[in-house]
Amino acid sequence: MADLAAFEHERKRLWGIAYRITGSVADAEDAVQETWLRWQRLPDDEADDTRSYLTTVISRLCYDQLGSARARRESYVGPWLPEPVVTDSGPEDRVTLDESVGLAMLTVLERLTPAERTAFILHDVFAVPFKEIAEVVGRTPDSVRQLASRARRRVRADAPRRSVDRGEHRRAVEAFLSAVLGGDFDGLLEILDPEVVWRSDGGGKVTAARLPVIGDEKVVRFSRRLMRAFDPETMHASVREVNGAPGLVVTDPAGDRGMVFAFSVHGGLITEIDAVINPEKLRHLDLGSL
């Protein structure tokens, strides 16, 4: 039987690969479990390089899953956003959830083909050699190199403007929360970039904008309507780590309805807001304790 300790040593990395490729917490966890089952069935002398073997297995699983998922996402009601990851703000979490896992960045990756996305994530984020990636996507190493290069250019062109100053980011998020809770929508205008983009993923399950809302005044009006669905006297809102950066979690008293917000901040202003409202995408979170 394959070594459990060796697998556990790689588990966090494997989950990180799976989540970045699929954009789904549930699919990532399923892929890790299936990889473990295959590792368990592997004869002791079958894999010379544990990391390489496990990386190839989970990447193939996720690459195949992503291909079938694209068809479902094309018929999805409204913008499709990844399932958010809400964590404590310890340094270990920040190492695990770097900028490549931000909701805005994962949304950019949605525009890539499955092969481009897989090649980019494996090579640029996890430093997997092109030869190994070629085995995952069924291409030659030279072809994979071109895939990664093309993906890199598209990501650089479309990546959100963002601050690398966590303090600046957090101050903008806290100002957003204060303005919304206080009904200070003039104050909200002051912290929004004039061309701010709001994407809300309700999946047809709850009220959400079917198209991105663009522009500070439109975002203010939409956020006002959205917050009316919550009782300001009983709702709970807090700043939490959302996909590796300060974001917001909003819940009702029972904890069975909520929203998770991720933000992009540049020059002290909020440039992008991603609001995950679809309850199916929040099932993995214990909203009552957040």
Side-chain angles (χ1 to χ4, degrees), residues 168-182:
E168 176 185 304
H169 186 116
R170 186 179 182 91
R171 284 191 294 273
V173 172
E174 290 175 342
F176 176 91
L177 176 60
S178 177
V180 169
L181 292 183

Side-chain angles (χ1 to χ4, degrees), residues 45-99:
D45 58 351
E46 187 74 18
D48 296 329
D49 186 328
T50 298
R51 168 165 287 195
S52 176
Y53 174 84
L54 294 174
T55 297
T56 297
V57 170
I58 201 162
S59 298
R60 281 177 177 166
L61 289 169
C62 294
Y63 175 64
D64 291 342
Q65 192 278 336
L66 184 59
S68 60
R70 285 178 69 87
R72 297 194 302 272
R73 292 174 189 177
E74 288 175 358
S75 60
Y76 194 79
V77 178
W80 185 94
L81 294 175
E83 295 175 8
V85 177
V86 180
T87 63
D88 294 326
S89 57
E92 183 178 359
D93 291 319
R94 290 201 290 271
V95 169
T96 304
L97 300 175
D98 58 29
E99 64 177 306

Side-chain angles (χ1 to χ4, degrees), residues 27-28 35 50 63 66 107 125 132 140 147 149 240 249 251 254 268 281:
D27 289 343
T35 301
T50 298
Y63 175 64
L66 184 59
T107 301
V125 181
E132 293 182 22
T140 66
L147 285 171
S149 178
R240 299 293 301 270
V249 176
T251 62
K281 291 191 175 181

Side-chain angles (χ1 to χ4, degrees), residues 210-261:
R210 296 293 182 92
L211 296 172
V213 179
I214 302 174
D216 52 0
E217 293 186 356
K218 291 181 179 179
V219 166
V220 167
R221 289 196 296 270
F222 184 77
S223 63
R224 180 183 296 169
R225 291 198 304 270
L226 183 64
M227 295 309 294
R228 286 174 184 162
F230 290 81
D231 185 342
E233 298 298 325
T234 58
M235 66 178 284
H236 177 73
S238 60
V239 178
R240 299 293 301 270
E241 289 285 304
V242 177
N243 285 62
L248 295 177
V249 176
V250 180
T251 62
D252 68 4
D256 59 359
R257 181 179 181 183
M259 299 183 287
V260 175
F261 292 87

Side-chain angles (χ1 to χ4, degrees), residues 42-204:
L42 192 72
D44 291 339
D45 58 351
E46 187 74 18
D48 296 329
D49 186 328
T50 298
R51 168 165 287 195
S52 176
Y53 174 84
L54 294 174
T55 297
T56 297
V57 170
I58 201 162
S59 298
R60 281 177 177 166
L61 289 169
C62 294
Y63 175 64
D64 291 342
Q65 192 278 336
L66 184 59
S68 60
R70 285 178 69 87
R72 297 194 302 272
R73 292 174 189 177
E74 288 175 358
S75 60
Y76 194 79
V77 178
W80 185 94
L81 294 175
E83 295 175 8
V85 177
V86 180
T87 63
D88 294 326
S89 57
E92 183 178 359
D93 291 319
R94 290 201 290 271
V95 169
T96 304
L97 300 175
D98 58 29
E99 64 177 306
S100 71
V101 81
L103 287 196
M105 179 60 76
L106 289 174
T107 301
V108 171
L109 296 181
E110 281 294 305
R111 303 167 195 166
L112 305 177
T113 68
E116 287 173 341
R117 180 171 182 164
T118 302
F120 173 79
I121 290 169
L122 291 179
H123 182 266
D124 284 43
V125 181
F126 291 95
V128 178
F130 289 125
K131 183 178 179 181
E132 293 182 22
I133 302 173
E135 297 178 15
V136 173
V137 300
R139 310 284 183 92
T140 66
D142 285 343
S143 176
V144 170
R145 186 187 302 274
Q146 293 174 8
L147 285 171
S149 178
R150 187 161 61 243
R152 193 177 306 118
R153 289 195 300 269
R154 295 185 64 183
V155 168
R156 286 174 179 171
D158 297 340
R161 293 174 296 156
R162 61 181 296 276
S163 171
V164 296
D165 186 332
R166 286 183 56 86
E168 176 185 304
H169 186 116
R170 186 179 182 91
R171 284 191 294 273
V173 172
E174 290 175 342
F176 176 91
L177 176 60
S178 177
V180 169
L181 292 183
D184 181 11
F185 294 102
D186 288 335
L188 183 56
L189 275 173
E190 295 179 1
I191 60 168
L192 296 178
D193 184 272
E195 300 301 319
V196 62
V197 177
W198 173 302
R199 289 178 292 263
S200 50
D201 181 343

